[in-house]
Amino acid sequence: MNKKEIRNAINKAAYQYAESLGYQVSDDNDGSYVTFWKPGLGGEDTIDWSRSSHDTCVLNWASDQTKADAQAIDDYMKPIIEHYNNQYSKV
């Protein structure tokens, strides 16, 4: 896999995991972030996923559940990111 394919695989895994937590994925096509949101929650209860640094970002005033979900996504993704980065470093 080349670097772009690895980035895409990491991002796809994050999207799938967020969806498994009940989030929908919104992409504004700016290339840097996608937004995870749950129907029925306010606009402050969204999670942004960075496509380049592969981590989440939430507002300070987001609900505790949203913050916990963001942390769960980061925790879930950490070994996946390490796996792909190790694979790329061997190329």
Side-chain angles (χ1 to χ4, degrees), residues 3 7 10-11 31-33 49-55 81:
K3 194 169 188 173
R7 263 195 322 265
I10 290 169
N11 289 329
S32 57
Y33 287 92
W49 172 259
S50 172
R51 289 181 175 157
S52 59
S53 63
H54 299 123
D55 60 1
I81 293 166

Side-chain angles (χ1 to χ4, degrees), residues 75-86:
D75 292 344
Y76 177 82
M77 291 304 300
K78 184 177 180 178
I80 293 170
I81 293 166
E82 289 174 358
H83 165 76
Y84 279 113
N85 285 340
N86 289 338

Side-chain angles (χ1 to χ4, degrees), residues 27-45:
D27 183 0
D28 61 9
N29 291 319
D30 74 349
S32 57
Y33 287 92
V34 295
T35 301
F36 304 144
W37 60 278
K38 280 188 179 178
L41 295 181
E44 63 275 352
D45 284 318

